[in-house]
């Protein structure tokens, strides 16, 4: 048993007498032979299903995200007073605090930001007491 379209003619007509056949909507079973369509029906316009639209949108978002990650800026502009141009090494003296060291390193800038830079540079634990003789890397800020 074979399957064929139910709206196709069962005999071959000459090309000029062939009827135009609409595309069938279902298939029927025919015993032992397949009847081929007498002429090819051109394909209609491509239609996107809901799933196709979702896949298309997700793919577009993935491409945009990948491009943002690859070509996105790795730095951000800030309005800080000083610009770090390098680091210097100091030894903590008796009576010095992180606040005083930060104030000396960046006199025109925000001391809290400078303290955060020193903590980050030296991997200090927040709230840790500085010991006398400890070597610290301190950022050097450009002065205007």
């Amino acid at each position: 048993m074979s399957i064929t379209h139910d709206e196709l003619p069962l005999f071959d007509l000459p090309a000029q007498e062939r009827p135009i056949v609409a595309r069938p909507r279902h298939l029927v079973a025919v015993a032992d032979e397949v009847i081929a369509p007498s002429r090819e029906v051109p394909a209609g316009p491509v239609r996107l299903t809901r799933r196709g639209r979702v896949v298309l949108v997700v793919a577009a978002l993935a491409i945009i995200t990948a491009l943002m990650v690859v070509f996105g800026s790795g730095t951000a502009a800030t309005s800080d007073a000083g610009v770090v141009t390098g680091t210097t090494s100091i030894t903590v003296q008796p009576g010095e605090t992180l606040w005083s060291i930060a104030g000396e390193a960046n006199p025109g800038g925000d001391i809290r930001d400078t303290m955060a830079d020193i903590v980050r540079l030296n991997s200090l634990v927040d709230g840790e007491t500085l010991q006398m003789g400890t070597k610290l890397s301190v950022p050097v800020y450009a002065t205007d």
Side-chain angles (χ1 to χ4, degrees):
M1 181 183 284
S2 58
I3 298 177
T4 184
H5 300 284
D6 66 344
E7 297 179 16
L8 301 176
L10 298 177
F11 52 92
D12 243 356
L13 295 175
Q16 67 273 12
E17 297 178 17
R18 288 185 186 155
I20 296 177
V21 178
R23 230 178 217 180
R25 294 290 181 207
H26 60 279
L27 301 175
V28 294
V30 175
D32 296 330
E33 69 177 88
V34 175
I35 302 172
S38 58
R39 92 171 238 235
E40 282 195 34
V41 179
V46 177
R47 292 185 184 172
L48 281 178
T49 62
R50 174 178 280 163
R51 182 172 56 176
R53 284 189 296 269
V54 168
V55 168
L56 190 63
V57 167
V58 168
L61 288 175
I63 290 171
I64 290 170
T65 303
L67 289 173
M68 287 174 58
V69 167
V70 171
F71 296 112
S73 175
T75 60
T78 63
S79 60
D80 291 341
V83 177
V84 177
T85 57
T87 61
T88 187
S89 182
I90 65 158
T91 303
V92 177
Q93 300 299 318
E96 283 188 318
T97 62
L98 192 55
W99 185 270
S100 64
I101 294 169
E104 291 173 16
N106 191 8
D110 187 0
I111 294 177
R112 291 169 296 195
D113 290 339
T114 306
M115 286 176 56
D117 291 341
I118 294 172
V119 168
R120 213 176 8 256
L121 276 172
N122 296 285
S123 301
L124 298 176
V125 178
D126 201 20
E128 180 180 357
T129 304
L130 290 178
Q131 300 296 322
M132 182 178 69
T134 305
K135 298 238 184 236
L136 293 177
S137 294
V138 178
V140 177
Y141 293 89
T143 56
D144 294 333

